[in-house]
Amino acid sequence: MGALRDCQVDARQTEDGTPLPPRASSIIELLFPFFFQKREKKSRGEKMLVVRKKMLGQSLLIRPAVSVLRSYSSSAKQMTVRDALNSALDEEMSADQKVFLMGEEVGEYQGAYKISKGLLEKYGPERVLDTPITEAGFAGIAVGAAYHGLKPVVEFMTFNFSMQAIDHIINSAAKSNYMSAGQMSVPIVFRGPNGAAAGVGAQHSQCYAAWYASCPGLKVLTPYSSEDARGLLKAAIRDPDPVVFLENELLYGESFSVSDEVLDSSFCLPIGKAKIERVGRDVTITAFSKMVGHALKAAEILEKDGIDAEVINLRSIRPLDRSTINASVRKTNRLITVEEGFPQHGVGAEICASVVEESFAYLDAPVERIAGADVPMPYAANLERLAVPQVEDIVRAAKRACYRSVPLAAAA
Amino acid sequence: MALSYLRSSSSRSVNLLKPLSSSLPLRRPISTDTTPITVETSVPFTSHQCDAPSRSVETNPKELLTFFRDMALMRRMEIAADSLYKAKLIRGFCHLYDGQEAVAVGMEAAITKKDCIITAYRDHCTFIGRGGTLLEVFAELMGRQAGCSKGKGGSMHFYKKDSNFYGGHGIVGAQVPLGCGLAFAQKYSKDETVTFALYGDGAANQGQLFEALNISALWDLPAILVCENNHYGMGTAEWRAAKSPAYYKRGDYVPGLKVDGMDALAVKQACKFAKEHALKNGPIILEMDTYRYHGHSMSDPGSTYRTRDEISGVRQERDPIERIRKLILSHDLATEKELKDIEKEVRKEVDDTITQAKESPMPEPSKLFTNVYAKGLGVESFGADRKEVRATLP
């Protein structure tokens, strides 16, 4: 079914806005649509090239998908989150001499996670600085540089290590503009992987979104896709306030399609605006960072059960896009909040409170929270799986919110 | 037309305490006289990993009179703040600098407003040295709109960015890495300027200080770390807090200089030396041997951990204002009456400013929500009862 669709006249676009290939220009395409079908996550170019070579022997006018990919101005190019971050850093450093990068292994090692690959070579050691393992010291130095007009990007190897520098993030950076009545703005970005990786244990797996987002004066961003990574990092670097930019190690290698608009060096996303990744009618699922992927998978599963979930990619934890969340809940009347971090006093708790305050009359079910387990992260694989939200957890909670299928247990 | 006796003879033979004879009845106005005078510092400098500068300091009548007036102003200001605190017009924390004035004025004499200064919470006089006004000080202390931080900062959060004064910090030791960051920015911009990061003997043991010093030495930052050693970190004497209270040596591979912090000219000489050093060779530590007459803050009488004899002893032997007064009198740059007149003038200025500051209103309630961000993006913020008080951040 999909194959034939691909060959028809296109005035339509797929749900995510990428246009479909043109109508078949030859009988061969109609007879053998299989070869021209759009396939996800495959090396399409290579496969189509092979097919074309086979067909050329008959000198047919075929328009293989590979040229389709190139000829459309907003065609889908794939980009990893890692490359998205790298390109964003590169472009912002190129555009503004005041931007510099500082952190452990960002220079000669090319970045602990290779996010800063190639930047030392391009910008030199004055702008890409390898620091000793002294978070309090170098975070303080970066904030001081920001006081004096530079625009530092500080990399924490993981945000677990940011706790050693948290006094500078909060007391020296976040509060300065307020305490000085506007004299001391701090245009700094603190970035790095946040939350759980795989098997790294309790001291390397905490999510700090709720901690930083509670502090006025900070902006806290949580990209999911490559588009998010590019647009939000550029916005963060250009922003005159301190921004905590929470990435995720497990997302670095994931590829997402990016349009030409996203690839343009002036591309920027607004801070404080969530994105509705999937429009739905029955239940709202909010998520950020890696959990957006889980929420989208859960939505696919729920669809089969007749539940049409709306998935909101928060993108910004502070400022929180309360209006998008509330508008969605007013439409669906049910809410699941999903986060990776510890449940108590977490992001979901704030979203729940916000919805109860603003949209109580619209709720048809209690707000459900899916969060990491209320324990330090264990190492054993099975326990780790239990400690981090899984897709099934989101599905189950959504069903609860929709059917209230689990009766309330009476106290014994 | 110069008064010849001022320029004669080897200045090394000038003894502070022996007034020079003068039979000239007519006196030029001294406030603009820049005829050089050479004075010796009270004690020679002690150095660590470097050659100490000479103890002969060049100064002039104008500078000495300026020192006198500025220090008298600072002294008067701090004492007035004490009274205001006791009258409950100043709330919260109030850390007074009286006794340490020589560090602030000596430093300013050696540098420009393009050099940066950052300090901790004992910042009232440092702010004045950087060009802040008395009104801004008193109004801020009393939480009024005319304050340098519009009443939103308080005693510990004075800033004057246009003359490169970066605060005003409440977290002990945090200002040192920040100061090294200022130096980083100066080097990055190739400004040929330096940063003085001031901290106390209590903060001298902070880990982040050594982290920042390590990076500053590695990257050759023009950072001058100035330990204002008043010998007590709140109530803890230096020998109880530091295994090695020789703070000028604590930099290990970083050179250091120990300076009599009660001698404004020694401070000036040391800061001048440090600036030249830092621009060429990277970080240096200055230890200013100084003293505070008040307790750590207004809630500390300051006499439970030190004897009154010690305090009065320092006041008699080492007071910075008295030193300059004696110097001025011995060099016949002004009469005792003229100096007393300056002090009266300063007292009146302080009193008048306090009256003016009291008239400044408290900030408007809407100011609760301003300056949270430099770019607020129109987001919402909330008061204690969010259904009652909300604001959109500009």
Side-chain angles (χ1 to χ4, degrees):
Chain A
M1 176 190 89
L4 226 69
R5 210 171 52 155
D6 288 354
C7 302
Q8 286 162 11
V9 175
D10 94 288
R12 301 161 297 120
Q13 295 176 321
T14 59
E15 274 168 331
D16 67 351
T18 51
L20 292 168
R23 74 176 292 150
S25 58
S26 77
I27 196 89
I28 300 298
E29 276 188 289
L30 282 173
L31 288 177
F32 300 97
F34 169 79
F35 292 114
F36 301 89
Q37 187 176 15
K38 243 174 140 168
R39 289 192 193 110
E40 295 301 312
K41 293 181 183 166
K42 284 183 186 168
S43 162
R44 215 168 311 164
E46 283 177 340
K47 288 209 182 314
M48 286 301 133
L49 224 43
V50 167
V51 169
R52 192 183 188 190
K53 280 186 180 147
K54 276 192 204 158
M55 294 300 199
L56 269 176
Q58 295 161 54
S59 32
L60 295 160
L61 264 169
I62 296 164
R63 206 132 26 114
V66 68
S67 72
V68 163
L69 280 173
R70 286 207 200 115
S71 61
Y72 279 80
S73 58
S74 46
S75 62
K77 191 192 161 182
Q78 293 288 304
M79 190 181 223
T80 60
V81 171
R82 177 178 287 112
D83 287 341
L85 294 167
N86 182 277
S87 61
L89 278 169
D90 190 353
E91 285 161 22
E92 293 306 303
M93 286 181 75
S94 169
D96 188 345
Q97 284 298 107
K98 296 201 164 110
V99 179
F100 70 95
L101 178 62
M102 177 193 265
E104 294 155 13
E105 311 298 354
V106 295
E108 291 185 17
Y109 197 85
Q110 308 296 320
Y113 299 99
K114 306 292 178 262
I115 307 298
S116 53
K117 187 167 181 201
L119 296 180
L120 173 65
E121 195 181 19
K122 188 166 178 186
Y123 295 103
E126 281 178 12
R127 295 184 68 196
V128 178
L129 298 128
D130 281 325
T131 63
I133 309 173
T134 53
E135 275 78 7
F138 70 71
I141 285 179
V143 175
Y147 280 174
H148 202 55
L150 297 185
K151 292 187 181 172
V153 177
V154 177
E155 178 172 308
F156 289 119
M157 202 179 278
T158 80
F159 264 90
N160 299 280
F161 311 150
S162 74
M163 290 199 287
Q164 304 210 300
I166 200 166
D167 176 60
H168 281 295
I169 300 174
I170 308 292
N171 281 322
S172 305
K175 298 178 184 172
S176 284
N177 199 59
Y178 192 83
M179 291 193 295
S180 68
Q183 272 189 78
M184 315 270 290
S185 73
V186 189
I188 194 169
V189 176
F190 299 100
R191 51 159 292 273
N194 175 59
V200 291
Q203 292 182 339
H204 289 75
S205 303
Q206 191 165 336
C207 173
Y208 291 87
W211 281 32
Y212 288 121
S214 72
C215 185
L218 284 182
K219 291 172 179 164
V220 180
L221 300 178
T222 50
Y224 162 62
S225 63
S226 299
E227 176 181 330
D228 291 354
R230 264 184 68 79
L232 293 176
L233 185 55
K234 280 163 158 299
I237 293 173
R238 296 177 199 177
D239 196 277
D241 291 305
V243 180
V244 171
F245 194 82
L246 301 173
E247 301 159 6
N248 185 290
E249 192 206 317
L250 299 173
L251 284 176
Y252 284 152
E254 267 197 49
S255 275
F256 294 86
S257 5
V258 283
S259 65
D260 278 359
E261 193 206 340
V262 171
L263 292 172
D264 189 76
S265 65
S266 63
F267 177 66
C268 205
L269 284 174
I271 292 178
K273 292 275 173 284
K275 181 185 179 194
I276 298 182
E277 295 282 350
R278 185 188 193 282
V279 179
R281 274 188 326 264
D282 298 330
V283 62
T284 299
I285 306 177
T286 65
F288 61 95
S289 189
K290 183 146 180 58
M291 293 293 122
V292 176
H294 282 26
L296 287 169
K297 288 194 188 109
E300 274 170 40
I301 295 172
L302 287 165
E303 193 179 19
K304 297 198 184 79
D305 281 327
I307 298 176
D308 188 20
E310 177 150 294
V311 175
I312 300 181
N313 172 4
L314 292 174
R315 283 182 165 175
S316 179
I317 311 297
R318 185 172 188 110
L320 192 61
D321 192 349
R322 295 171 207 275
S323 54
T324 299
I325 298 167
N326 276 282
S328 175
V329 172
R330 286 176 183 214
K331 179 174 71 169
T332 65
N333 313 121
R334 294 158 208 278
L335 175 62
I336 321 292
T337 69
V338 183
E339 66 197 288
E340 211 188 277
F342 296 138
Q344 192 164 337
H345 311 299
V347 177
E350 173 62 32
I351 294 177
C352 175
S354 185
V355 164
V356 163
E357 282 159 2
E358 308 275 334
S359 312
F360 183 67
Y362 294 82
L363 282 170
D364 285 346
V367 175
E368 298 276 353
R369 276 189 296 176
I370 294 297
D374 204 10
V375 297
M377 183 68 67
Y379 167 66
N382 62 331
L383 294 183
E384 189 185 55
R385 214 175 305 117
L386 289 172
V388 180
Q390 303 298 324
V391 177
E392 310 90 76
D393 295 315
I394 305 173
V395 170
R396 194 185 317 112
K399 286 184 176 169
R400 270 203 310 265
C402 287
Y403 305 125
R404 305 210 63 197
S405 57
V406 177
L408 294 170
Chain B
M1 187 199 70
L3 288 166
S4 58
Y5 72 93
L6 282 173
R7 270 207 288 231
S8 67
S9 76
S10 88
S11 38
R12 276 171 211 278
S13 63
V14 169
N15 185 325
L16 277 184
L17 299 172
K18 234 191 282 175
L20 288 168
S21 59
S22 163
S23 49
L24 290 166
L26 284 170
R27 206 178 288 279
R28 274 187 315 136
I30 31 185
S31 54
T32 54
D33 184 1
T34 52
T35 322
I37 305 172
T38 311
V39 178
E40 293 232 302
T41 61
S42 59
V43 290
F45 298 102
T46 327
S47 66
H48 169 74
Q49 305 270 28
C50 66
D51 292 323
S54 153
R55 55 186 291 211
S56 298
V57 186
E58 221 188 63
T59 180
N60 57 62
K62 178 182 177 191
E63 182 172 76
L64 291 173
L65 264 297
T66 310
F67 278 3
F68 182 83
R69 192 180 198 284
D70 288 349
M71 289 200 282
L73 186 80
M74 290 173 181
R75 179 68 57 91
R76 196 69 235 142
M77 173 182 81
E78 296 294 73
I79 292 173
D82 178 311
S83 309
L84 286 174
Y85 192 91
K86 287 173 177 147
K88 297 205 192 310
L89 284 160
I90 299 177
R91 306 177 317 116
F93 292 125
C94 189
H95 305 88
L96 299 175
Y97 200 73
D98 51 316
Q100 299 183 214
E101 300 91 347
V103 178
V105 301
M107 187 179 289
E108 288 297 337
I111 63 177
T112 71
K113 293 294 188 285
K114 291 209 171 2
D115 297 305
C116 300
I117 297 184
I118 190 169
T119 186
Y121 42 77
R122 208 175 296 278
D123 58 349
H124 309 162
C125 299
T126 319
F127 173 75
I128 293 284
R130 287 267 92 181
T133 65
L134 274 181
L135 179 62
E136 285 174 315
V137 170
F138 286 119
E140 187 60 36
L141 289 173
M142 294 194 279
R144 308 296 175 96
Q145 286 182 22
C148 55
S149 302
K150 311 257 186 348
K152 288 169 73 164
S155 165
M156 299 186 289
H157 305 296
F158 287 12
Y159 305 88
K160 196 165 164 62
K161 194 162 177 193
D162 56 16
S163 33
N164 285 304
F165 177 56
Y166 288 89
H169 293 270
I171 306 296
V172 171
Q175 75 275 18
V176 179
L178 294 172
C180 295
L182 295 172
F184 177 90
Q186 288 171 316
K187 183 166 181 175
Y188 191 99
S189 314
K190 302 181 167 43
D191 276 353
E192 294 297 301
T193 51
V194 298
T195 296
F196 288 81
L198 283 67
Y199 60 99
D201 45 295
N205 302 310
Q206 275 265 315
Q208 59 184 319
L209 190 153
F210 295 96
E211 293 186 15
L213 197 59
N214 176 48
I215 293 179
S216 303
L218 269 175
W219 297 350
D220 281 314
L221 303 182
I224 298 155
L225 273 64
V226 181
C227 179
E228 293 185 283
N229 183 6
N230 57 26
H231 308 284
Y232 296 91
M234 201 153 137
T236 304
E238 61 182 329
W239 56 269
R240 287 212 302 136
K243 187 73 180 167
S244 164
Y247 300 108
Y248 71 108
K249 287 189 187 167
R250 294 278 290 275
D252 185 17
Y253 43 79
V254 171
L257 204 63
K258 185 161 172 170
V259 184
D260 178 2
M262 307 298 258
D263 179 351
L265 292 168
V267 171
K268 174 184 151 180
Q269 184 86 318
C271 291
K272 186 158 162 283
F273 171 79
K275 177 168 174 175
E276 280 162 26
H277 182 280
L279 283 172
K280 277 203 307 275
N281 308 323
I284 183 169
I285 296 180
L286 297 179
E287 181 186 335
M288 304 289 183
D289 185 351
T290 183
Y291 201 84
R292 54 168 162 80
Y293 297 138
H294 270 87
H296 163 72
S297 70
M298 286 306 299
S299 57
D300 170 25
S303 50
T304 55
Y305 47 86
R306 34 183 212 177
T307 62
R308 291 189 198 277
D309 283 344
E310 180 189 291
I311 305 171
S312 54
V314 173
R315 212 187 267 275
Q316 264 161 18
E317 306 292 317
R318 300 178 64 207
D319 185 271
I321 301 178
E322 289 315 302
R323 166 177 296 281
I324 297 296
R325 188 200 305 269
K326 283 183 192 132
L327 200 54
I328 290 172
L329 293 175
S330 72
H331 283 264
D332 238 349
L333 307 178
T335 62
E336 272 211 49
K337 183 181 180 302
E338 279 168 335
L339 294 181
K340 283 236 162 19
D341 283 345
I342 290 175
E343 285 177 299
K344 276 201 203 120
E345 201 186 293
V346 152
R347 197 181 176 126
K348 183 169 188 308
E349 194 182 328
V350 166
D351 289 341
D352 287 346
T353 311
I354 291 177
T355 312
Q356 203 187 345
K358 281 179 183 168
E359 282 162 26
S360 176
M362 293 198 140
E364 293 292 315
S366 64
K367 298 290 185 222
L368 180 68
F369 294 107
T370 55
N371 307 125
V372 176
Y373 295 115
K375 193 168 162 194
L377 307 169
V379 304
E380 262 195 320
S381 185
F382 308 98
D385 180 351
R386 58 198 8 220
K387 303 244 162 131
E388 185 68 16
V389 180
R390 313 188 113 158
T392 308
L393 300 183

